Amino acid sequence: MGHRVILSLATNRFQAKNLCRARKCLEEVLADIQYTTELWTEPVGNCSRNDAYMNQLAQGTTALDEQQLNEWLKQTELSFGRTEQKRRLGIVPIDLDILEYDGVRRHLRDWERQYVKELIGEF
């Protein structure tokens, strides 16, 4: 049985290329994948860089439990070159987060962001 998930994808570095790579990676662990359109946003918070983000949501099903999926997403981020040092510099090659797992919302602050509110309606 598959677990239904909604994921958030975001990048402010080589945006189109990295989102495309991330989508290909997600095919390893998600079935019945649907994607929203891509949406450009400005950085939020105390970001030392002004690089715009390209954001997208994905939904699908996975055989992985939530912890396994989260670990897989974090390993994928590392494979894109995501490091603590880059994070401190405001460089985000890829950010992959579980927004919802089997109907339970995660990253509640992200659900308040305008781009999530806009894109979620595309599913």
Side-chain angles (χ1 to χ4, degrees):
M1 179 178 139
H3 302 280
R4 185 164 152 44
V5 297
I6 298 174
L7 306 177
S8 171
L9 296 74
T11 176
N12 69 357
R13 196 82 171 146
F14 308 113
Q15 293 92 327
K17 177 183 170 189
N18 283 346
L19 268 190
C20 183
R21 274 184 63 206
R23 288 189 297 263
K24 287 186 187 337
C25 289
L26 288 175
E27 292 173 6
E28 296 176 27
V29 295
L30 292 183
D32 305 318
I33 307 173
Q34 292 179 298
Y35 296 100
T36 64
T37 56
E38 299 161 351
L39 189 64
W40 289 97
T41 61
E42 294 303 315
V44 295
N46 296 328
C47 190
S48 59
R49 299 178 63 92
N50 291 325
D51 302 315
Y53 280 81
M54 185 179 282
N55 302 276
Q56 189 171 44
L57 302 182
Q59 77 170 354
T61 57
T62 185
L64 299 177
D65 67 32
E66 188 171 3
Q67 181 179 343
Q68 291 171 323
L69 178 59
N70 195 54
E71 289 172 7
W72 187 91
L73 294 173
K74 297 312 155 198
Q75 282 301 121
T76 301
E77 290 176 350
L78 290 173
S79 77
F80 275 66
R82 184 145 188 209
T83 63
E84 183 60 28
Q85 181 181 11
K86 284 182 182 173
R87 187 193 66 77
R88 284 193 303 268
L89 294 172
I91 299 169
V92 181
I94 196 70
D95 182 36
L96 302 169
D97 290 318
I98 301 170
L99 288 183
E100 190 173 286
Y101 189 92
D102 280 342
V104 179
R105 288 186 174 187
R106 303 292 186 225
H107 294 273
L108 297 180
R109 272 192 264 148
D110 288 355
W111 284 92
E112 297 303 314
R113 294 191 177 173
Q114 189 58 41
Y115 76 89
V116 172
K117 290 178 180 181
E118 281 183 48
L119 294 177
I120 200 71
E122 294 183 18
F123 291 134

